[in-house]
Amino acid sequence: MKLSIWDTAGQEKFDSLTKLYFNNTEAALIVYDVTSELSYEKVQKWTKDLNDHELTSGVKIVKFIVGNKVDCEEVEVTARTGMAYAESIGAEFHEVSAKMDTNITPLFQDVCYQLNKLDNEALQ
């Protein structure tokens, strides 16, 4: 499977540009910093934006809530919190450390698995 990945960095000054990337999107990784409650609070905004896009486009987007920086000791957002939110919106949940390359491969394996699963459901 070939993936095209766009990192929009979640900065508010790029909000209008970021929404342009939603077109033709099949999966979205909404990443937050587990050491920052403020970072986690933005997850709900991005999820709402994705849900709005799904409603207007009629295209299902597979969502992944991803807690990054699990290598750090100053955790403000627990895995339980992230997992509960992901479950409440029907998203997959992963915790990773991009810096230490922790759980990155399983995350992208799950992305490929979920996209393949979605394609198979569409064929039936």
Side-chain angles (χ1 to χ4, degrees):
M1 183 173 284
K2 183 177 180 178
L3 302 174
S4 294
I5 301 171
W6 300 92
D7 180 359
T8 63
Q11 296 176 11
E12 288 182 29
K13 65 182 176 182
F14 298 121
D15 260 11
S16 58
L17 280 177
T18 299
K19 291 176 185 172
L20 294 174
Y21 289 107
F22 291 174
N23 295 325
N24 301 317
T25 295
E26 296 179 45
L29 283 70
I30 306 167
V31 182
Y32 65 93
D33 176 347
V34 300
T35 69
S36 169
E37 182 70 35
L38 180 61
S39 171
Y40 177 73
E41 290 170 5
K42 294 179 182 179
V43 168
Q44 292 181 8
K45 180 219 176 294
W46 289 111
T47 302
K48 181 190 177 315
D49 289 348
L50 282 167
N51 289 341
D52 290 347
H53 179 76
E54 280 183 311
L55 286 173
T56 59
S57 70
V59 175
K60 170 126 174 73
I61 299 173
V62 181
K63 295 174 201 72
F64 296 81
I65 304 300
V66 182
N68 188 29
K69 297 189 181 179
V70 295
D71 56 297
C72 297
E73 292 181 19
E74 308 84 28
V75 173
E76 290 185 12
V77 183
T78 65
R80 177 176 283 176
T81 300
M83 191 179 302
Y85 179 70
E87 188 175 304
S88 75
I89 64 165
E92 301 297 315
F93 176 77
H94 289 267
E95 278 196 326
V96 302
S97 169
K99 178 180 179 181
M100 303 301 289
D101 191 23
T102 303
N103 296 326
I104 299 297
T105 298
L107 167 61
F108 283 98
Q109 287 173 333
D110 193 22
V111 169
C112 293
Y113 172 80
Q114 296 300 330
L115 288 172
N116 189 44
K117 183 176 157 184
L118 187 65
D119 285 345
N120 288 336
E121 289 172 1
L123 292 173
Q124 294 178 359

